[in-house]
């Protein structure tokens, strides 16, 4: 998410809770007699003999399998798995996406070569350290409408390094930093969802892998302009050139095939940031568009989201997985006009770089309150103490000018250009499974 204003709301949380609350209101609780019932699997998990290797040597590969669900009546959640894959020595980047349409999902267990990446059932973090739930949150569930990120039934959501939690088309992508490179061996996953809608809309587990890539790192973009959006060819050129320069100068991905499309939607070019209209748009690819490119939707403006420049669908968004309700980033053209009505393509290009960065796995270098940070060592942290100088609860780009305020993955825009990208950020983009 990137905003001009200070009333920041985490995009991922916003989307998750809106979807989840809606589902909860609309769906009656399932009755166990209607559904396959059983306890959610627990650690340890080991690949059965003969589990096939993931991916294809020398390049990218997308492996997709159906999700089938079982209801755990004690935990009050649906689960699918364990799903297994054998990871090879030459694996550079990996992204796993659990998509169940409009039902939020999460990886309940994600275990790589015996190493627990996330455990939302066993309550341990990446390092194996316990992530103990506050006692008073034990009975709470997802989607309470509290966008503060807690409490949840499953401690461990939204913790470093994955910051993973329930999402539409929830994705875990590795590596996130030097310490989180995929390691060869057994990958075991259990997908969970609290939304019983998964029994009607079972979904897909997508595993995008990149093995021994060529030395050049490239990414493809589909630029999809919604009919009714005022955006000239020339402005779009300028915008893409800004992003190309920022990634180039930062030593990150080259933009390879950048294709343009227009898409006509029944509701036009204005939409809310969450809900069925934006979800349907992101699940739609124009005819002939590449299914492995990053999709960027340009709309005229968001409704009821003043100051929102754009947002990605989750951090990361579904890597290289088309046709999910989260398969793309959305940018408001109108939010990038200056007082005279002129489109500021410098800022639009920087927002494009920012949102595609999220979709490929980069987090904000510092979050709004100056208390959350990415897991990269070489991006400075702008801590509330001492940088929130006016003590309004937010660290602005201006307050963080000498830290990471000039990085284009800072949480909000500033009154100056944000053009920086660190070597670690560039390295993560280059390793991204979406890059080829
Ligand atoms: Ca950092
Ligand atoms: Ca402040
Ligand atoms: Zn953002």
């Amino acid at each position: 998410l990137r905003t001009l204003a200070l009333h920041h709301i985490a995009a991922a949380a916003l989307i998750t809770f809106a979807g989840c609350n809606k589902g909860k209101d609309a769906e009656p609780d399932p009755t166990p007699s209607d559904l396959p019932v059983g306890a959610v699997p627990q650690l340890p998990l080991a690949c059965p003999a003969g589990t096939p290797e993931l991916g294809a040597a020398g390049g990218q590969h997308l492996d997709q399998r159906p999700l089938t669900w079982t209801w755990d009546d004690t935990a009050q959640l649906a689960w699918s798995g364990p799903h297994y894959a054998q990871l090879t020595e030459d694996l550079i980047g990996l992204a796993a996406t659990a998509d169940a349409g409009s039902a939020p999902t999460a990886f309940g267990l994600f275990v790589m070569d015996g190493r627990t990446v996330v455990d939302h059932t066993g309550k341990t973090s990446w390092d194996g350290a316990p992530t103990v739930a506050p006692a008073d949150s034990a009975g709470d569930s997802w989607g309470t409408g509290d966008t503060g990120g807690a409490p949840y039934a499953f401690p461990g959501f939204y913790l470093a390094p994955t910051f993973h939690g329930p999402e539409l088309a929830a994705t875990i992508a590795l590596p996130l930093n030097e310490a989180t490179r995929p390691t060869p061996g057994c990958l075991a996953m259990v997908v969970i969802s609290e939304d019983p809608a998964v029994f009607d809309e079972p979904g897909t587990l997508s595993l995008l892998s990149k093995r021994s890539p060529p030395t050049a790192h490239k990414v493809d973009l589909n630029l999809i302009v919604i009919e009714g959006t005022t955006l000239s060819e020339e402005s779009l050129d300028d915008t893409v050139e800004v992003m190309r320069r920022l990634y180039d100068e930062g030593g990150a991905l080259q933009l390879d095939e950048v294709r343009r499309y227009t898409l006509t939607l029944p509701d036009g070019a204005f939409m809310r940031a969450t809900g069925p209209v934006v979800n349907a748009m992101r699940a739609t690819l124009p005819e002939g568009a590449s299914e492995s490119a990053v999709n960027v939707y340009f709309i005229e403006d968001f409704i009821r989201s003043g100051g929102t420049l754009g947002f990605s669908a989750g951090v990361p968004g579904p890597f290289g997985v088309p046709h999910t309700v989260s398969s793309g980033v959305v940018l408001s053209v109108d939010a990038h006009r200056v007082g005279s009505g002129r489109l500021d393509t410098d800022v639009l290009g920087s927002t494009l770089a920012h949102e595609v960065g999220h979709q490929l796995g980069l987090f904000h270098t510092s979050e709004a309150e100056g208390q959350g940070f990415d897991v990269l060592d070489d991006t400075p942290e702008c801590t509330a103490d001492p940088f929130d100088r006016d003590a309004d609860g937010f660290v602005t780009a201006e307050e963080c000018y000498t830290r990471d305020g000039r990085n284009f993955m800072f949480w909000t825009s500033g009154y100056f250009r944000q053009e920086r990208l660190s070597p670690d950020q560039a390295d993560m983009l280059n390793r991204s499974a979406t890059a080829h």
Side-chain angles (χ1 to χ4, degrees):
L1 183 85
R2 201 149 178 264
T3 57
L4 277 174
L6 286 180
H7 38 89
H8 173 82
I9 304 166
L14 192 75
I15 290 163
T16 299
F17 294 124
C20 195
N21 285 339
K22 193 162 191 178
K24 283 183 81 69
D25 291 343
E27 298 283 338
D29 283 335
T31 48
S33 59
D34 296 332
L35 306 169
V37 171
V40 63
Q42 297 290 322
L43 295 174
L45 297 173
C47 285
T51 298
E53 286 184 354
L54 184 68
Q60 274 175 320
H61 183 78
L62 180 62
D63 173 300
Q64 294 189 292
R65 4 181 138 167
L67 293 172
T68 53
W69 299 94
T70 302
W71 184 253
D72 183 325
D73 206 39
T74 308
Q76 286 286 297
L77 62 87
W79 57 270
S80 174
H83 301 276
Y84 295 109
Q86 199 68 39
L87 305 186
T88 52
E89 292 275 356
D90 59 356
L91 184 67
I92 304 294
L94 168 69
T97 297
D99 168 35
S102 57
T105 58
F107 287 93
L109 286 170
F110 194 100
V111 182
M112 201 169 54
D113 192 32
R115 186 184 202 189
T116 305
V117 178
V118 296
D119 177 359
H120 297 139
T121 64
K123 306 174 182 58
T124 52
S125 69
W126 177 276
D127 296 325
T131 55
V132 179
D136 62 359
S137 74
D140 287 310
S141 63
W142 300 357
T144 57
D146 173 5
T147 54
Y152 293 99
F154 302 94
F157 281 141
Y158 303 114
L159 292 179
T162 60
F163 305 102
H164 183 69
E167 299 274 0
L168 301 177
T171 300
I172 290 180
L174 300 174
L176 297 150
N177 56 20
E178 277 299 307
T180 55
R181 292 169 183 250
T183 40
C186 174
L187 170 66
M189 294 156 285
V190 174
V191 181
I192 56 177
S193 177
E194 207 195 43
D195 190 340
V198 294
F199 289 97
D200 303 321
E201 206 168 358
T204 306
L205 174 65
S206 299
L207 301 171
L208 182 69
S209 54
K210 179 167 75 168
R211 291 170 53 179
S212 293
T215 48
H217 302 288
K218 298 172 183 172
V219 69
D220 302 329
L221 297 183
N222 292 328
L223 305 176
I224 303 160
V225 180
I226 303 307
E227 185 77 44
T229 304
T230 309
L231 180 62
S232 69
E233 289 280 310
E234 191 189 3
S235 293
L236 191 50
D237 277 343
D238 292 347
T239 300
V240 173
E241 284 317 304
V242 171
M243 176 184 170
R244 192 188 298 278
R245 179 171 59 78
L246 296 187
Y247 275 49
D248 251 17
E249 288 173 357
L253 304 167
Q254 295 168 7
L255 303 188
D256 193 16
E257 305 215 344
V258 179
R259 299 243 162 89
R260 295 165 186 209
Y261 304 89
T262 53
L263 184 64
T264 305
L265 297 180
D267 296 291
F270 293 84
M271 66 189 71
R272 294 187 188 204
T274 59
V277 173
V278 72
N279 287 351
M281 177 178 77
R282 288 181 299 205
T284 306
L285 265 188
E287 191 141 333
S290 162
E291 301 219 324
S292 60
V294 175
N295 301 319
V296 182
Y297 295 88
F298 291 90
I299 67 168
E300 186 62 26
D301 207 358
F302 296 107
I303 302 169
R304 296 190 188 183
S305 300
T308 299
L309 298 174
F311 64 90
S312 68
V315 183
F319 278 51
V321 183
H323 308 298
T324 80
V325 296
S326 299
S327 294
V329 308
V330 186
L331 303 184
S332 162
V333 171
D334 201 49
H336 292 85
R337 292 189 205 285
V338 293
S340 62
R342 183 183 65 83
L343 182 61
D344 189 337
T345 52
D346 280 335
V347 180
L348 184 56
S350 163
T351 302
L352 176 63
H354 178 103
E355 300 307 339
V356 172
H358 278 321
Q359 199 82 2
L360 298 180
L362 290 184
F363 291 84
H364 291 155
T365 51
S366 295
E367 292 293 351
E369 295 82 12
Q371 303 192 3
F373 311 98
D374 67 18
V375 292
L376 300 173
D377 289 338
D378 73 347
T379 51
E381 298 183 353
C382 188
T383 48
D385 180 15
F387 294 102
D388 179 16
R389 293 194 189 89
D390 63 0
D392 67 346
F394 298 101
V395 289
T396 62
E398 288 71 27
E399 288 171 325
C400 301
Y401 186 82
T402 60
R403 305 294 291 167
D404 54 338
R406 283 172 285 175
N407 191 293
F408 68 70
M409 292 311 297
F410 190 70
W411 75 275
T412 190
S413 63
Y415 294 108
F416 44 78
R417 292 188 186 173
Q418 291 166 304
E419 305 199 318
R420 291 192 176 178
L421 188 72
S422 78
D424 282 358
Q425 286 175 307
D427 193 40
M428 289 310 115
L429 289 175
N430 291 337
R431 287 171 189 283
S432 168
T434 315
H436 58 87

